[in-house]
Amino acid sequence: MRLLVVEDDADLNRLLVNALKEAGYVVDSARTGEEGHYLGDTEPYDAVVLDLGLPEIDGVTVLERWRKAGRTMPVLILTARDRWSDKVAGFDAGADDYVTKPFYTEEVLARLRALLRRASGHATSELDCGPVRIDTRAARVTVDGNPIKLTSLEYRLLAYLAHHQGRVVSRSELVEHLYDQDFDRDSNTIEVFVGRIRKKLGVNVIHTMRGLGYRLAPPDEAEDLDAQR
Ligand code: CA
């Protein structure tokens, strides 16, 4: 999952970026409304944390422009305390949720998890695929209840497929959501990672759709698969 943080306060920006990276997300960040708007307009983010008080272009305007341009990613706004009118303006502009400053990073993380899973139609923080369970809160994966050790990139790949379970995800889409903007992207490496994940899981839940990409088996298929073991 790839996220964007738009916050002009340098310390707060760094705090958020570090907390999100530690939680296993790929994170790009911007310090002005102008830069944030550009990134959100051109890069495919899974969710955005957007401060409302920003230099150059304010957060509400940034959000309005994204929505007008058809950008539908979930957006969590950061608002100052006692500024209820900011929240109203933010929601009217298309925000999905808000956190009031000062905040605990745990709350931002929890709200983002909820936004990400709602965007993909999941009701809980645990995503199941047959014997494979992905706990997005702890960034942990188990097979038949046994913990599987994945690298952060392997986890991100599996979690992205799980958030889009049943849909074919192309290699280029995976690359766009697994690496930040500065990374030298090579979609051939995705195949290598998928191979490693399959081996570690020991159960074939990631299907290769030749020439199209990969697909994580939806729950009903995964159950059949489980029965065949
Ligand atoms: Ca600010």
Side-chain angles (χ1 to χ4, degrees):
M1 293 283 151
R2 187 169 165 205
L3 309 180
L4 172 65
V5 171
V6 189
E7 166 63 66
D8 57 318
D9 183 289
D11 292 337
L12 202 51
N13 190 307
R14 200 174 320 118
L15 179 86
L16 278 169
V17 168
N18 288 342
L20 293 173
K21 281 186 177 168
E22 223 162 274
Y25 298 106
V26 178
V27 190
D28 292 336
S29 76
R31 297 268 307 276
T32 68
E34 179 92 50
E35 190 192 359
H37 171 260
Y38 174 76
L39 284 173
D41 206 33
T42 53
E43 298 287 330
Y45 295 106
D46 296 294
V48 177
V49 179
L50 177 68
D51 182 33
L52 291 187
L54 292 170
E56 293 172 10
I57 312 174
D58 68 89
V60 169
T61 307
V62 168
L63 184 50
E64 277 172 352
R65 288 187 189 172
W66 282 338
R67 295 311 191 213
K68 207 171 275 175
R71 311 292 295 177
T72 58
M73 67 284 195
V75 173
L76 175 75
I77 53 173
L78 303 177
T79 67
R81 199 152 47 121
D82 302 333
R83 295 289 298 271
W84 65 268
S85 54
D86 281 359
K87 288 170 208 157
V88 173
F91 278 118
D92 283 344
D96 298 277
D97 200 358
Y98 72 91
V99 171
T100 307
K101 291 180 182 177
F103 51 76
Y104 290 100
T105 50
E106 286 81 1
E107 185 182 355
V108 174
L109 286 168
R111 289 186 180 277
L112 279 172
R113 280 196 300 273
L115 287 180
L116 288 168
R117 97 191 161 228
R118 255 183 264 145
S120 61
H122 294 279
T124 70
S125 59
E126 284 168 344
L127 312 178
D128 286 323
C129 181
V132 182
R133 167 165 283 192
I134 298 141
D135 178 352
T136 60
R137 202 168 47 182
R140 243 180 261 147
V141 176
T142 55
V143 176
D144 293 325
N146 302 312
I148 304 294
K149 222 172 145 77
L150 298 179
T151 64
S152 60
L153 196 105
E154 290 164 356
Y155 172 78
R156 288 205 295 266
L157 203 163
L158 183 61
Y160 189 82
L161 289 177
H163 275 90
H164 301 279
Q165 198 169 3
R167 177 164 82 73
V168 180
V169 180
S170 71
R171 276 199 268 177
S172 60
E173 180 177 342
L174 282 170
V175 168
E176 283 183 330
H177 289 264
L178 299 184
Y179 300 109
D180 60 37
Q181 55 170 343
D182 300 325
F183 194 84
D184 181 19
R185 297 156 184 196
D186 175 6
S187 66
N188 288 320
T189 55
I190 294 292
E191 206 171 306
V192 177
F193 287 116
V194 168
R196 285 188 201 154
I197 297 167
R198 279 189 183 129
K199 210 165 173 187
K200 287 186 181 179
L201 296 180
V203 49
N204 187 25
V205 289
I206 303 176
H207 301 159
T208 302
M209 314 302 280
R210 210 162 272 286
L212 297 173
Y214 301 97
R215 173 172 170 275
L216 191 73
D220 50 331
E221 271 178 41
E223 262 167 44
D224 295 346
L225 211 126
D226 201 18
Q228 288 163 20
R229 286 198 303 169

